[in-house]
Amino acid sequence: MDRVSLEKRLRELSIYSTFYLRRELKPLAQLLQEDEQLNCIITGVHEGNRKLVAVTDRRIIILFAGALGSGEVKVIRRSAVRDPWFEKKFFFSEAGFATDSEVFTFTNTQGSLRELYEWAMGRPIPDGA
């Protein structure tokens, strides 16, 4: 997916103004496949670093764009995700999910994105994904 298509999708999801300056968008655009649909983006603190979590119809992509060009990418198939959750609080909301071998918890997330996150995680996974 190219950056223009990614920005268009962010506008469709009404989250462009929240994420348009995030440095993770460039690598995210390169990681998204042409037939893949982005459904949600949140950020949160995981393992001591602020990371961007992109939920697509097929995968969850966790990106960390560190200082000085360091970075990290973790990709998880949506079919491997168990028990997604989002706990909205006045301050310091949390979101997360589990796989068979790991639990991912993201603190200090955007509480206003709870409905979008739950919608994205509840979407059916396409056949063959």
Side-chain angles (χ1 to χ4, degrees):
M1 178 180 281
D2 60 34
R3 179 74 186 244
V4 174
S5 299
L6 175 59
E7 289 177 359
K8 179 182 177 198
R9 182 63 179 154
L10 292 176
R11 284 186 185 93
E12 290 171 358
L13 295 170
S14 300
I15 57 175
Y16 177 78
S17 62
T18 304
F19 296 103
Y20 74 99
L21 288 177
R22 297 295 306 190
R23 71 179 100 180
E24 294 93 342
L25 289 186
K26 183 177 180 181
L28 178 61
Q30 295 169 351
L31 289 167
L32 292 173
Q33 300 165 355
E34 288 300 323
D35 62 341
E36 193 169 23
Q37 182 175 14
L38 179 67
N39 290 328
C40 179
I41 292 179
I42 62 169
T43 61
V45 176
H46 177 259
E47 297 177 343
N49 294 306
R50 178 148 300 272
K51 298 181 181 179
L52 183 135
V53 180
V55 181
T56 74
D57 58 342
R58 301 166 191 266
R59 305 179 292 167
I60 296 175
I61 302 169
I62 303 168
L63 290 157
F64 169 64
L68 304 173
S70 65
E72 175 186 324
V73 175
K74 183 154 183 107
V75 178
I76 301 158
R77 289 184 342 270
R78 283 265 320 281
S79 59
V81 171
R82 309 281 181 264
D83 304 321
W85 55 273
F86 196 110
E87 186 176 341
K88 186 175 179 179
K89 301 178 183 176
F90 190 69
F91 291 111
F92 310 120
S93 296
E94 294 181 352
F97 57 90
T99 65
D100 290 336
S101 59
E102 275 184 278
V103 175
F104 295 88
T105 301
F106 301 92
T107 59
N108 299 338
T109 60
Q110 300 88 351
S112 62
L113 296 178
R114 177 183 181 178
E115 289 180 20
L116 183 62
Y117 178 81
E118 290 174 344
W119 172 81
M121 291 299 247
R123 304 280 304 151
I125 300 168
D127 292 333

Short mmCIF file of all heavy atoms in Angstrom, two decimals, residues 14-50:
data_model
loop_
_atom_site.label_atom_id
_atom_site.label_comp_id
_atom_site.label_asym_id
_atom_site.label_seq_id
_atom_site.Cartn_x
_atom_site.Cartn_y
_atom_site.Cartn_z
N SER A 14 -11.69 8.27 10.21
CA SER A 14 -11.74 9.49 11.03
C SER A 14 -10.65 9.54 12.09
O SER A 14 -10.86 10.05 13.19
CB SER A 14 -13.12 9.64 11.69
OG SER A 14 -14.13 9.71 10.73
N ILE A 15 -9.47 9.01 11.76
CA ILE A 15 -8.35 9.07 12.69
C ILE A 15 -7.11 9.70 12.08
O ILE A 15 -6.04 9.69 12.68
CB ILE A 15 -8.01 7.66 13.25
CG1 ILE A 15 -7.71 6.68 12.12
CG2 ILE A 15 -9.12 7.15 14.16
CD1 ILE A 15 -7.24 5.31 12.60
N TYR A 16 -7.25 10.31 10.92
CA TYR A 16 -6.10 10.92 10.25
C TYR A 16 -5.46 12.00 11.12
O TYR A 16 -4.24 12.03 11.29
CB TYR A 16 -6.53 11.51 8.90
CG TYR A 16 -5.41 12.23 8.18
CD1 TYR A 16 -4.43 11.52 7.51
CD2 TYR A 16 -5.32 13.62 8.19
CE1 TYR A 16 -3.39 12.16 6.85
CE2 TYR A 16 -4.29 14.27 7.54
CZ TYR A 16 -3.33 13.55 6.88
OH TYR A 16 -2.30 14.18 6.25
N SER A 17 -6.26 12.87 11.70
CA SER A 17 -5.71 13.98 12.48
C SER A 17 -4.98 13.50 13.74
O SER A 17 -4.11 14.19 14.26
CB SER A 17 -6.80 14.99 12.86
OG SER A 17 -7.77 14.37 13.68
N THR A 18 -5.29 12.32 14.22
CA THR A 18 -4.64 11.77 15.40
C THR A 18 -3.27 11.18 15.07
O THR A 18 -2.36 11.23 15.88
CB THR A 18 -5.52 10.67 16.03
OG1 THR A 18 -6.81 11.22 16.31
CG2 THR A 18 -4.93 10.14 17.32
N PHE A 19 -3.12 10.66 13.86
CA PHE A 19 -1.91 9.89 13.53
C PHE A 19 -1.08 10.42 12.37
O PHE A 19 -0.04 9.83 12.06
CB PHE A 19 -2.29 8.43 13.24
CG PHE A 19 -2.88 7.73 14.43
CD1 PHE A 19 -4.24 7.52 14.52
CD2 PHE A 19 -2.07 7.31 15.46
CE1 PHE A 19 -4.79 6.88 15.62
CE2 PHE A 19 -2.61 6.68 16.57
CZ PHE A 19 -3.97 6.47 16.65
N TYR A 20 -1.46 11.52 11.73
CA TYR A 20 -0.78 11.90 10.50
C TYR A 20 0.69 12.25 10.67
O TYR A 20 1.46 12.18 9.73
CB TYR A 20 -1.52 13.04 9.78
CG TYR A 20 -1.39 14.39 10.42
CD1 TYR A 20 -0.49 15.32 9.94
CD2 TYR A 20 -2.18 14.74 11.51
CE1 TYR A 20 -0.38 16.57 10.53
CE2 TYR A 20 -2.09 15.97 12.09
CZ TYR A 20 -1.18 16.89 11.60
OH TYR A 20 -1.08 18.13 12.19
N LEU A 21 1.13 12.60 11.88
CA LEU A 21 2.54 12.92 12.11
C LEU A 21 3.36 11.75 12.66
O LEU A 21 4.55 11.90 12.89
CB LEU A 21 2.67 14.10 13.08
CG LEU A 21 2.28 15.46 12.51
CD1 LEU A 21 2.38 16.54 13.58
CD2 LEU A 21 3.15 15.82 11.33
N ARG A 22 2.74 10.60 12.86
CA ARG A 22 3.47 9.47 13.43
C ARG A 22 4.53 8.96 12.45
O ARG A 22 4.25 8.70 11.28
CB ARG A 22 2.51 8.32 13.76
CG ARG A 22 1.47 8.61 14.81
CD ARG A 22 2.01 8.87 16.16
NE ARG A 22 2.87 7.79 16.62
CZ ARG A 22 3.32 7.68 17.85
NH1 ARG A 22 3.00 8.59 18.75
NH2 ARG A 22 4.10 6.69 18.19
N ARG A 23 5.75 8.81 12.94
CA ARG A 23 6.84 8.34 12.07
C ARG A 23 6.66 6.89 11.64
O ARG A 23 7.29 6.43 10.70
CB ARG A 23 8.19 8.56 12.72
CG ARG A 23 8.46 7.66 13.89
CD ARG A 23 9.81 7.90 14.48
NE ARG A 23 9.60 8.72 15.66
CZ ARG A 23 10.54 9.12 16.44
NH1 ARG A 23 11.78 8.84 16.17
NH2 ARG A 23 10.27 9.83 17.49
N GLU A 24 5.80 6.14 12.32
CA GLU A 24 5.57 4.74 11.98
C GLU A 24 4.74 4.57 10.71
O GLU A 24 4.65 3.47 10.18
CB GLU A 24 4.86 4.00 13.13
CG GLU A 24 5.69 3.88 14.38
CD GLU A 24 5.45 5.01 15.38
OE1 GLU A 24 4.91 6.07 14.97
OE2 GLU A 24 5.81 4.84 16.55
N LEU A 25 4.09 5.63 10.23
CA LEU A 25 3.22 5.49 9.05
C LEU A 25 3.99 5.11 7.79
O LEU A 25 3.48 4.36 6.96
CB LEU A 25 2.42 6.77 8.82
CG LEU A 25 1.32 7.06 9.83
CD1 LEU A 25 0.52 8.27 9.39
CD2 LEU A 25 0.41 5.87 10.04
N LYS A 26 5.20 5.60 7.64
CA LYS A 26 5.97 5.25 6.44
C LYS A 26 6.27 3.75 6.39
O LYS A 26 5.97 3.10 5.39
CB LYS A 26 7.26 6.06 6.38
CG LYS A 26 8.06 5.80 5.13
CD LYS A 26 9.29 6.67 5.04
CE LYS A 26 10.06 6.38 3.78
NZ LYS A 26 11.26 7.21 3.68
N PRO A 27 6.83 3.16 7.47
CA PRO A 27 7.03 1.70 7.39
C PRO A 27 5.72 0.92 7.35
O PRO A 27 5.64 -0.14 6.73
CB PRO A 27 7.84 1.36 8.64
CG PRO A 27 7.80 2.56 9.51
CD PRO A 27 7.44 3.72 8.65
N LEU A 28 4.66 1.45 8.00
CA LEU A 28 3.37 0.77 7.95
C LEU A 28 2.85 0.69 6.52
O LEU A 28 2.39 -0.36 6.08
CB LEU A 28 2.34 1.47 8.85
CG LEU A 28 0.93 0.88 8.83
CD1 LEU A 28 0.95 -0.57 9.31
CD2 LEU A 28 0.00 1.72 9.67
N ALA A 29 2.95 1.77 5.78
CA ALA A 29 2.50 1.78 4.39
C ALA A 29 3.26 0.73 3.57
O ALA A 29 2.69 0.08 2.70
CB ALA A 29 2.68 3.17 3.78
N GLN A 30 4.54 0.54 3.87
CA GLN A 30 5.34 -0.44 3.15
C GLN A 30 4.98 -1.88 3.55
O GLN A 30 5.12 -2.80 2.75
CB GLN A 30 6.82 -0.18 3.40
CG GLN A 30 7.28 1.14 2.83
CD GLN A 30 8.68 1.52 3.30
OE1 GLN A 30 9.26 0.89 4.18
NE2 GLN A 30 9.21 2.57 2.71
N LEU A 31 4.52 -2.06 4.79
CA LEU A 31 4.18 -3.40 5.27
C LEU A 31 2.80 -3.86 4.84
O LEU A 31 2.55 -5.06 4.75
CB LEU A 31 4.26 -3.43 6.81
CG LEU A 31 5.65 -3.36 7.41
CD1 LEU A 31 5.56 -3.09 8.90
CD2 LEU A 31 6.39 -4.66 7.15
N LEU A 32 1.88 -2.94 4.63
CA LEU A 32 0.52 -3.31 4.25
C LEU A 32 0.48 -3.81 2.81
O LEU A 32 1.04 -3.21 1.91
CB LEU A 32 -0.43 -2.12 4.41
CG LEU A 32 -0.68 -1.66 5.84
CD1 LEU A 32 -1.48 -0.37 5.85
CD2 LEU A 32 -1.39 -2.74 6.63
N GLN A 33 -0.20 -4.93 2.61
CA GLN A 33 -0.34 -5.50 1.29
C GLN A 33 -1.49 -4.80 0.56
O GLN A 33 -2.38 -4.24 1.18
CB GLN A 33 -0.59 -7.00 1.40
CG GLN A 33 0.52 -7.72 2.11
CD GLN A 33 0.15 -9.12 2.55
OE1 GLN A 33 -0.99 -9.55 2.42
NE2 GLN A 33 1.12 -9.83 3.09
N GLU A 34 -1.47 -4.86 -0.76
CA GLU A 34 -2.48 -4.16 -1.57
C GLU A 34 -3.90 -4.64 -1.29
O GLU A 34 -4.83 -3.87 -1.33
CB GLU A 34 -2.16 -4.30 -3.06
CG GLU A 34 -0.97 -3.50 -3.51
CD GLU A 34 -1.14 -1.99 -3.29
OE1 GLU A 34 -2.25 -1.45 -3.46
OE2 GLU A 34 -0.14 -1.36 -2.93
N ASP A 35 -4.07 -5.92 -1.00
CA ASP A 35 -5.41 -6.46 -0.77
C ASP A 35 -5.80 -6.47 0.71
O ASP A 35 -6.82 -7.01 1.08
CB ASP A 35 -5.52 -7.87 -1.35
CG ASP A 35 -4.56 -8.85 -0.68
OD1 ASP A 35 -3.58 -8.40 -0.05
OD2 ASP A 35 -4.80 -10.06 -0.80
N GLU A 36 -4.99 -5.83 1.54
CA GLU A 36 -5.22 -5.80 2.98
C GLU A 36 -5.93 -4.49 3.36
O GLU A 36 -5.58 -3.44 2.85
CB GLU A 36 -3.87 -5.90 3.69
CG GLU A 36 -3.93 -6.18 5.14
CD GLU A 36 -2.56 -6.53 5.70
OE1 GLU A 36 -1.53 -6.13 5.12
OE2 GLU A 36 -2.53 -7.20 6.72
N GLN A 37 -6.89 -4.57 4.27
CA GLN A 37 -7.63 -3.38 4.67
C GLN A 37 -7.29 -3.01 6.11
O GLN A 37 -7.47 -3.81 7.03
CB GLN A 37 -9.13 -3.59 4.55
CG GLN A 37 -9.91 -2.35 4.93
CD GLN A 37 -11.39 -2.50 4.71
OE1 GLN A 37 -11.90 -3.60 4.51
NE2 GLN A 37 -12.10 -1.40 4.74
N LEU A 38 -6.82 -1.80 6.29
CA LEU A 38 -6.54 -1.28 7.62
C LEU A 38 -7.86 -0.93 8.29
O LEU A 38 -8.70 -0.25 7.71
CB LEU A 38 -5.66 -0.03 7.52
CG LEU A 38 -5.31 0.65 8.83
CD1 LEU A 38 -4.42 -0.25 9.68
CD2 LEU A 38 -4.63 1.97 8.56
N ASN A 39 -8.07 -1.40 9.53
CA ASN A 39 -9.32 -1.15 10.23
C ASN A 39 -9.17 -0.29 11.48
O ASN A 39 -10.14 0.29 11.94
CB ASN A 39 -10.00 -2.46 10.61
CG ASN A 39 -10.54 -3.18 9.40
OD1 ASN A 39 -10.95 -2.55 8.43
ND2 ASN A 39 -10.52 -4.49 9.42
N CYS A 40 -7.97 -0.22 12.05
CA CYS A 40 -7.78 0.55 13.28
C CYS A 40 -6.30 0.78 13.53
O CYS A 40 -5.47 -0.06 13.17
CB CYS A 40 -8.39 -0.20 14.47
SG CYS A 40 -8.20 0.65 16.06
N ILE A 41 -5.99 1.91 14.15
CA ILE A 41 -4.65 2.19 14.66
C ILE A 41 -4.82 2.74 16.06
O ILE A 41 -5.68 3.59 16.30
CB ILE A 41 -3.89 3.21 13.80
CG1 ILE A 41 -3.56 2.65 12.42
CG2 ILE A 41 -2.60 3.65 14.49
CD1 ILE A 41 -2.84 3.63 11.52
N ILE A 42 -4.01 2.24 16.97
CA ILE A 42 -3.90 2.84 18.31
C ILE A 42 -2.41 2.91 18.65
O ILE A 42 -1.59 2.25 18.00
CB ILE A 42 -4.65 2.04 19.40
CG1 ILE A 42 -4.08 0.64 19.57
CG2 ILE A 42 -6.14 2.00 19.14
CD1 ILE A 42 -4.59 -0.10 20.80
N THR A 43 -2.08 3.71 19.64
CA THR A 43 -0.73 3.69 20.18
C THR A 43 -0.83 3.37 21.66
O THR A 43 -1.85 3.64 22.30
CB THR A 43 0.01 5.02 19.99
OG1 THR A 43 -0.70 6.05 20.66
CG2 THR A 43 0.19 5.35 18.53
N GLY A 44 0.22 2.81 22.20
CA GLY A 44 0.26 2.50 23.61
C GLY A 44 1.66 2.10 24.04
O GLY A 44 2.51 1.80 23.20
N VAL A 45 1.87 2.11 25.32
CA VAL A 45 3.17 1.73 25.86
C VAL A 45 3.18 0.22 26.08
O VAL A 45 2.31 -0.33 26.74
CB VAL A 45 3.45 2.48 27.18
CG1 VAL A 45 4.77 2.02 27.79
CG2 VAL A 45 3.46 3.99 26.94
N HIS A 46 4.19 -0.41 25.50
CA HIS A 46 4.36 -1.86 25.61
C HIS A 46 5.85 -2.11 25.80
O HIS A 46 6.67 -1.61 25.02
CB HIS A 46 3.85 -2.56 24.35
CG HIS A 46 4.04 -4.03 24.33
ND1 HIS A 46 5.06 -4.63 23.63
CD2 HIS A 46 3.37 -5.03 24.94
CE1 HIS A 46 4.98 -5.93 23.78
NE2 HIS A 46 3.97 -6.20 24.58
N GLU A 47 6.21 -2.84 26.84
CA GLU A 47 7.61 -3.13 27.14
C GLU A 47 8.44 -1.85 27.26
O GLU A 47 9.58 -1.77 26.81
CB GLU A 47 8.21 -4.07 26.10
CG GLU A 47 7.54 -5.43 26.07
CD GLU A 47 8.07 -6.35 24.99
OE1 GLU A 47 8.74 -5.86 24.04
OE2 GLU A 47 7.81 -7.55 25.08
N GLY A 48 7.84 -0.82 27.85
CA GLY A 48 8.54 0.43 28.11
C GLY A 48 8.68 1.38 26.94
O GLY A 48 9.31 2.43 27.07
N ASN A 49 8.13 1.06 25.79
CA ASN A 49 8.22 1.92 24.61
C ASN A 49 6.84 2.19 24.05
O ASN A 49 5.98 1.31 24.04
CB ASN A 49 9.07 1.25 23.52
CG ASN A 49 10.51 1.09 23.93
OD1 ASN A 49 11.16 2.04 24.32
ND2 ASN A 49 11.00 -0.14 23.88
N ARG A 50 6.63 3.40 23.52
CA ARG A 50 5.38 3.73 22.84
C ARG A 50 5.41 3.08 21.48
O ARG A 50 6.33 3.28 20.70
CB ARG A 50 5.17 5.23 22.71
CG ARG A 50 3.88 5.52 21.95
CD ARG A 50 3.18 6.78 22.36
NE ARG A 50 2.74 6.92 23.71
CZ ARG A 50 1.57 6.51 24.21
NH1 ARG A 50 0.73 5.86 23.43
NH2 ARG A 50 1.25 6.72 25.45
#
